[in-house]
Amino acid sequence: MADNRDDSGDYERPRRPDTDTISYLRGLPLDVDQGKQEISSFLENGGEFPQTLAAAFSAIDEICMEIASLAGDEFGSQGVELLAHISAPYSELASRILLNACSGYHLHLATHRYGSHVVQTILQLAFSSSSEKDLASDPESPSFDNLADNLPSLAELVQGMVQELSPHTSDLAVHVCGSHVLRTLLCVLGGVDLVSSGNGNENRVDSGAILRGRKKNKKKKKKKKPDAESAGIPHAGTMRVIYRSNSRVNPNEFSSSLEAMANAVIGARELKEPGELQQLASHPSAGPLLIVLLRVLTYSTEEGKKQWEALEADKGDSIADFRLGIARQEPTFATGTLAHRMACQILCWDKDADKQPHAGDIIFGLSGEPRGSHLLETLLRLAPDEMHNSILQCGGFFNPTAMQEYCEHQVSNFVVQTLLTTIRTKEQAESMLKVAEKVISSGLAVDGTKKRRGILWRTVELASKFRVGQDGILKAVRLGFAAINKSAPQEPAENDANADQEEEGKKKKKQRKKATSVEVKDCVKGLLGVQIPEKEGDRLTLDATGARAVYHMLRFTPRLCEEVLKGCIGEHSVEELVAIAKDGLGSRCVMDGILSGPIKTPIFAAAAKELYSKLTDHWVTLSIDRVGHHSVMKLFLALPRIDDKSKLVEELVDGGKRLTANKMGYSVSEACLVEVFRENRKQWRKKIVDTQDKTEDSFLEELAQTAGESQSTKPKRKRKRKKKGSSEEEPANKKTSFPSSSVDTIINTITAT
């Protein structure tokens, strides 16, 4: 077949595709899901070669000389991507044929509406193998008619692509399609993939769908405003980075190509003054490209991979973290690496850390740009500790006036939230909390109409994480609600530096008086913003950031949580509490915040009992709910007295067959031993007592271990206890039974210290 190259123009571009070939592709009865099922069955059980894969191999052999032409057509590109999805994961030979067919046309395809998607799809699928052997070499597989002869390897094809695109990176970086191709190529060179985990359950590689383009609607519809869920869609800076599994090529082979691409994007020389690179950082296409490049350079090093493996080993419940908005930690780049040089060039960082003539202005400027702010947030996540602290200093984030200005801005307030999640040391946390308290007390971060509660959420999370400044945060919240109250004038964000000591003392007295005018429980109710749905079946209205802030307040020292618990339980009606327990976010933040806390302490134990009393006659309804049944099981474990547990189970028994009507109710029945209670209550009580004894023993062992770690400098010795009313010591090998009050005494002693 003749070569369909057209020499007109500044770069190679293929001729128009043949209409018969497009009709042939559109007529292929291929389905990706069906093909995967057939191939999986073949790999596991053997048997007949998959018909879908055989048809894909035959189609690739038929159109191999027209793939570049087809990639520029709307329907032809769909057919090529369909073939790539079916064949590339199971055949390296098919991947090489597809990628080689685009060689020489990469620049044209990278800037094409449809061709760019084809190139991205082939790159994403060609380097990860889903089978141990190349299925194209199977005896029953259709042959490729000697196409494998003199066919370059995958590494050679990618290196050729780098050489073809490197001279044009400045143009591709600002191109809406070309920047995406460069991002995918950088991920291939670094041996990583960007994945989006929308709900924490499934990881999806960020590749486009097979169908490109949408049919225009006959009538124009008004665009809906983005809701809270769509606002949390991950972008290039927050998408997960994972290392490619079962890679067909060692990423170390691309180290020189990766460095060449990085130099082509950011330049090979050090920047002394702001210029083109800072403009690229704020560009809608080049900004995400720089983010991906910085992350790939960080993850591609051996040190970055070790840090990633350690973080993956220590990660907790991903679904729970997603509900709570807990940020995922990332590896940091080392000083002297290519990623460090890139960060220095973006900020025009001076080698002398004390003299930064341009860094402060660049940080301030990027924080207010919709795209540049994402790059600055990525720098905060990936920067080493020393550079991270220097960024905070240069940006003026420890200055109350500058921080207030950052928080008031509609874009830079998100940078502040990321900054609060990336604090590294306790000293940093203490300094940052002092500044954040003034922002909160001004009312900006607690006023729901100003949409800055994310700052409060992240501040409370920081105080809970480092166990510092918790009293001050609660006082600042009370001052903030007093400030937005019409009956009370708003206090300034900071005291006048030129005021004398008498005026300053008067202001402090006014603040203390104002703080006492608003109770914490009222603040908690305002933060949650619970609204019962008017129609049955509608979802509960709840302030997401406020609910997450309340959750972290419940992780404060137990003595500070009493008023917060009153706001969660006492200030809400039974109907509202039932709706909260049935809501995914409300259940995770409020119910789990109460029932998964230090439930052995008297404050939380009393709160659990109050919650049980308030929701009496509703536990059966909650037990058969998809979300509510979790709260029932956790409350059963949290109730301090067996009599309270028995009353709860007795109500479940009265529910009859409703409890076993679905899987949720059945799981509650199993967890609470409802059937045992119905048959023999004494046996049920004995099992509950045995379970409580085991739980208390493990709790005391963990408590003793924690105390031993905190006093590691002291010599270890066995603690001997005396019997009540006796002066003789018990033998060391005799097991001591602790009453339930002893647990509370130990907890109170620890919290008091």
Side-chain angles (χ1 to χ4, degrees), residues 351-642:
K351 293 182 179 179
D352 188 357
D354 298 331
K355 298 179 181 179
Q356 300 296 342
H358 303 293
D361 294 335
I362 293 174
I363 293 171
F364 186 81
L366 290 177
S367 65
E369 289 287 338
R371 278 84 184 183
S373 60
H374 288 311
L375 179 59
L376 182 58
E377 291 176 30
T378 304
L379 279 172
L380 291 172
R381 296 188 189 97
L382 302 180
D385 295 350
E386 183 178 355
M387 188 175 187
H388 180 274
N389 189 65
S390 299
I391 292 175
L392 301 189
Q393 295 286 352
C394 293
F397 292 102
F398 292 126
N399 187 318
T401 305
M403 176 61 81
Q404 185 76 19
E405 187 175 352
Y406 279 121
C407 295
E408 289 176 353
H409 195 272
Q410 59 181 356
V411 175
S412 59
N413 74 89
F414 293 102
V415 176
V416 175
Q417 296 180 40
T418 302
L419 182 152
L420 292 170
T421 62
T422 57
I423 294 297
R424 310 296 173 83
T425 63
K426 190 174 182 179
E427 291 74 15
Q428 275 187 345
E430 291 175 346
S431 302
M432 188 55 61
L433 287 175
K434 291 180 181 178
V435 180
E437 285 177 9
K438 298 182 179 181
V439 177
I440 296 172
S441 61
S442 69
L444 176 65
V446 298
D447 191 351
T449 60
K450 295 183 179 180
K451 299 181 180 181
R452 298 293 186 273
R453 283 187 175 177
I455 297 172
L456 172 65
W457 161 32
R458 294 304 186 183
T459 304
V460 174
E461 182 184 14
L462 179 64
S464 174
K465 178 180 178 181
F466 286 95
R467 314 294 292 177
V468 293
Q470 297 175 356
D471 290 291
I473 293 298
L474 291 179
K475 181 180 178 181
V477 171
R478 296 167 69 185
L479 286 171
F481 274 95
I484 62 177
N485 193 338
K486 294 182 181 180
S487 61
Q490 184 172 346
E491 285 288 330
E494 60 175 339
N495 295 325
D496 188 0
N498 300 324
D500 55 11
Q501 294 181 355
E502 293 182 359
E503 293 179 353
E504 186 177 353
K506 291 180 180 179
K507 287 183 179 181
K508 290 183 178 180
K509 290 181 180 179
K510 288 182 179 179
Q511 283 190 345
R512 285 195 295 268
K513 185 177 181 180
K514 183 179 290 186
T516 57
S517 65
V518 180
E519 297 185 7
V520 174
K521 62 180 182 180
D522 298 326
C523 300
V524 171
K525 184 177 181 180
L527 289 175
L528 291 177
V530 178
Q531 294 182 10
I532 300 296
E534 297 180 357
K535 299 180 181 179
E536 186 177 356
D538 291 348
R539 294 186 60 182
L540 173 74
T541 301
L542 193 70
D543 190 290
T545 53
R548 288 163 175 165
V550 170
Y551 172 84
H552 290 290
M553 287 181 184
L554 292 171
R555 300 281 81 82
F556 281 4
T557 303
R559 65 180 177 82
L560 301 176
C561 296
E562 185 172 5
E563 289 296 317
V564 181
L565 290 168
K566 289 181 180 179
C568 293
I569 302 174
E571 295 298 314
H572 291 91
S573 64
V574 175
E575 185 181 8
E576 290 174 337
L577 288 175
V578 171
I580 290 174
K582 291 182 177 181
D583 183 74
L585 181 63
S587 175
R588 187 68 186 92
C589 294
V590 180
M591 293 300 175
D592 287 4
I594 299 170
L595 303 176
S596 298
I599 204 64
K600 295 290 184 180
T601 60
I603 294 175
F604 276 84
K609 187 174 180 180
E610 181 183 359
L611 182 63
Y612 158 71
S613 301
K614 201 161 186 178
L615 293 183
T616 300
D617 299 332
H618 293 84
W619 294 115
V620 177
T621 303
L622 291 175
S623 297
I624 59 178
D625 185 75
R626 182 180 63 85
V627 178
H629 76 283
H630 294 289
S631 298
V632 180
M633 292 188 290
K634 290 186 177 182
L635 179 73
F636 178 77
L637 297 175
L639 287 173
R641 299 176 64 248
I642 298 182

Side-chain angles (χ1 to χ4, degrees), residues 15 226 309 315 320 362 374 407 411 440 453 608 619 646-647 652 672 700 720 743:
R15 296 178 181 177
E309 290 175 348
K315 70 177 181 180
I362 293 174
H374 288 311
C407 295
V411 175
I440 296 172
R453 283 187 175 177
W619 294 115
S646 64
K647 292 178 181 178
L652 297 178
C672 301
L700 291 173
K720 298 181 180 179
V743 179

